[in-house]
């Protein structure tokens, strides 16, 4: 997956985080896992990178 595609996915996750900030961490993690399962084109390496970014973005938004 190209860097441009990664940034588009990252932006979509940021929007998702903003729209779901009232969810608990467990509820949010379930949604993230569903998104990953529904998109097999997201590689393991990409998922690992996204999890780090998503965690940071969510922490920044909620704190």
């Amino acid at each position: 997956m190209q860097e441009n595609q990664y940034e588009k996915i990252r932006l979509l996750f940021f929007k998702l985080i903003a729209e779901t900030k009232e969810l608990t961490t467990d509820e949010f993690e379930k949604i993230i896992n569903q998104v990953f399962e529904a998109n097999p084109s997201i590689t393991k390496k990409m998922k690992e990178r996204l999890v780090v970014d998503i965690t940071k973005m969510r922490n920044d938004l909620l704190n």
Side-chain angles (χ1 to χ4, degrees):
M1 198 174 283
Q2 297 176 3
E3 190 66 25
N4 188 35
Q5 290 174 313
Y6 177 81
E7 287 304 319
K8 288 179 182 178
I9 293 170
R10 191 174 168 276
L11 178 61
L12 290 172
F13 273 113
F14 181 76
K15 290 177 182 179
L16 176 67
I17 292 165
E19 293 295 321
T20 60
K21 59 185 174 188
E22 72 282 351
L23 296 179
T24 67
T25 299
D26 287 341
E27 292 169 327
F28 184 74
E29 286 176 2
K30 287 178 185 177
I31 291 173
I32 297 301
N33 287 331
Q34 289 173 352
V35 170
F36 286 156
E37 289 171 8
N39 294 285
S41 63
I42 300 175
T43 64
K44 181 179 179 186
K45 185 176 180 177
M46 185 70 62
K47 287 177 189 176
E48 291 169 356
R49 188 173 167 196
L50 281 167
V51 166
V52 170
D53 283 348
I54 290 166
T55 302
K56 183 180 181 322
M57 288 187 292
R58 190 158 196 266
N59 285 338
D60 290 347
L61 186 67
L62 297 178
N63 297 322

